[in-house]
């Protein structure tokens, strides 16, 4: 895991997990810490030393919500079929990665719970989530938890320089390598535009917020707005009832953007509640 910027405590947990494999893991922590990328690397490492790219494609199954909907019954069926499939001898483990695991439908949840209660000896399940509190306790109790913590400041100093990110932007985004990488890829102009839009949303009255919502054209833009407003809200020094109400509205908006195909409706509701 040396090519990822991970908190030393997280790295230690991952190393211990690889040394004594469990049948199921929970990779949890804030968005932007590399949980999914780490899950993919973890899966590749435990699959088999001699696994080819073809083996990795066949014996690592990644399941995630599609088009903002919950993980479906059809995806649950693919998980069951994968678990029941017979692996070749040179493969140590089949691996299932369930990304955004908090967004599982009822059938998918029940199917996965059965697999966790009666685990297959040749299959490892990795569930990735930003919101473990949204998952069922019966699922969580059967997972070995790997906590993803923000990297240490000394780890990030070199990363900022490598990406060409100044300290002001780094402070605004926070210690989230994936988000910092996204910023570096899209450029300062893009970030400044998005940052200004988020600041306008925070400072505007209801009419102003609704005008901003009207300018959003797709789900990715809606998610970007919610995430930047969330980051700015977290940086506020005063935590009072108004702050808590805003934070709760932002959390619900983020959840609904995954479970609702209409980002305009979600943002309009956020605009109405964001006082």
């Amino acid at each position: 895991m040396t090519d990822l910027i991970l908190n030393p405590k997280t790295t230690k947990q991952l190393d211990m997990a690889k040394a004594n494999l469990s049948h199921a893991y929970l990779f949890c922590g804030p968005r932007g810490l590399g949980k999914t990328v780490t899950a993919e690397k973890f899966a590749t490492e435990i699959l088999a030393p001699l696994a080819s790219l073809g083996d990795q494609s066949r014996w690592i199954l990644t399941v995630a919500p599609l088009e903002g909907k919950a993980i479906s019954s059809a995806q649950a069926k693919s998980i069951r079929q994968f678990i029941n499939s017979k692996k070749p001898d040179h493969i140590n483990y089949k691996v299932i990665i369930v990304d955004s695991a908090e967004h599982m439908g009822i059938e998918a949840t029940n199917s996965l719970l059965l697999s966790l209660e009666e685990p297959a000896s040749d299959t490892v399940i990795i569930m990735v989530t930003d919101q473990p509190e949204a998952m069922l306790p019966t699922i969580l109790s059967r997972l070995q938890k790997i906590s993803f913590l923000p990297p240490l400041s000394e780890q990030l100093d070199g990363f900022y320089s490598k990406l060409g990110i100044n300290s002001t932007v780094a402070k605004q985004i926070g210690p989230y390598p994936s988000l910092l990488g996204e910023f570096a890829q899209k450029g300062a102009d893009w970030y400044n535009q998005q940052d200004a839009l988020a600041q306008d949303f925070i400072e505007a009255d209801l009419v102003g917020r609704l005008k901003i919502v009207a300018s959003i054209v797709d789900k990715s833009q809606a998610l970007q707005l919610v995430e930047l407003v969330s980051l700015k809200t977290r940086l506020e020094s005063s935590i009072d009832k108004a702050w808590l109400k805003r934070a709760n509205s932002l959390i619900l908006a983020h959840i609904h953007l995954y479970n609702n195909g209409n980002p305009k409706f979600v943002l309009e509701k956020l605009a109405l509640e964001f006082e």
Side-chain angles (χ1 to χ4, degrees):
M1 304 294 178
T2 55
D3 54 338
L4 289 172
I5 301 179
L6 298 175
N7 184 286
K9 292 182 179 179
T10 301
T11 300
K12 183 177 180 180
Q13 290 182 66
L14 290 165
D15 289 341
M16 292 174 63
K18 283 186 293 181
N20 185 21
L21 276 176
S22 175
H23 69 280
Y25 293 94
L26 177 72
F27 283 18
C28 62
R31 182 180 181 272
L33 295 180
K35 298 185 298 298
T36 301
V37 173
T38 303
E40 292 167 351
K41 288 183 172 291
F42 188 92
T44 300
E45 291 173 5
I46 66 175
L47 191 70
L50 301 178
S52 65
L53 291 176
D55 288 328
Q56 294 173 23
S57 175
R58 183 175 181 184
W59 300 111
I60 298 175
L61 174 67
T62 300
V63 177
L66 300 174
E67 298 299 327
K69 299 178 181 178
I71 294 174
S72 66
S73 58
Q75 290 172 296
K77 183 178 179 181
S78 71
I79 291 175
R80 291 195 299 271
Q81 290 174 337
F82 184 79
I83 291 174
N84 293 331
S85 62
K86 182 174 174 57
K87 67 173 181 60
D89 291 339
H90 71 280
I91 296 297
N92 294 332
Y93 297 96
K94 298 175 291 182
V95 186
I96 299 169
I97 299 173
V98 183
D99 203 0
S100 298
E102 70 275 14
H103 299 294
M104 288 193 298
I106 294 175
E107 185 170 345
T109 299
N110 291 337
S111 176
L112 193 62
L113 183 57
L114 180 62
S115 300
L116 293 172
E117 290 175 338
E118 301 175 3
S121 60
D122 64 352
T123 304
V124 174
I125 298 172
I126 304 173
M127 305 191 74
V128 181
T129 182
D130 304 339
Q131 303 170 46
E133 67 278 2
M135 296 175 61
L136 289 178
T138 49
I139 294 283
L140 294 175
S141 66
R142 290 166 172 80
L143 305 174
Q144 181 174 319
K145 182 179 178 181
I146 305 291
S147 298
F148 280 70
L149 306 171
L152 303 176
S153 58
E154 55 264 32
Q155 293 178 282
L156 288 168
D157 288 341
F159 189 63
Y160 296 149
S161 300
K162 181 180 178 181
L163 295 180
I165 295 176
N166 63 47
S167 58
T168 301
V169 171
K171 182 179 179 180
Q172 288 179 319
I173 296 177
Y176 306 107
S178 295
L179 298 181
L180 291 163
E182 182 180 5
F183 160 77
Q185 183 180 20
K186 293 184 177 179
D189 289 343
W190 170 86
Y191 176 79
N192 290 334
Q193 291 173 0
Q194 300 302 313
D195 184 68
L197 193 67
Q199 190 63 41
D200 288 345
F201 187 92
I202 291 172
E203 295 176 353
D205 58 13
L206 177 58
V207 173
R209 290 195 297 273
L210 290 174
K211 285 182 179 179
I212 292 172
V213 170
S215 71
I216 303 297
V217 298
D218 58 30
K219 180 185 171 184
S220 63
Q221 280 188 306
L223 276 169
Q224 189 66 59
L225 177 64
V226 169
E227 287 165 359
L228 278 174
V229 172
S230 298
L231 285 170
K232 288 176 173 293
T233 300
R234 284 204 296 269
L235 290 173
E236 289 183 8
S237 58
S238 60
I239 298 179
D240 52 21
K241 288 185 178 179
W243 185 94
L244 290 171
K245 183 180 178 181
R246 285 186 169 190
N248 183 64
S249 296
L250 286 163
I251 291 170
L252 291 175
H254 194 274
I255 293 172
H256 291 324
L257 280 171
Y258 277 103
N259 294 318
N260 192 308
N262 189 337
K264 292 272 190 185
F265 175 80
V266 175
L267 290 182
E268 285 172 359
K269 187 173 187 298
L270 176 63
L272 289 168
E273 296 175 347
F274 202 83
E275 296 293 347

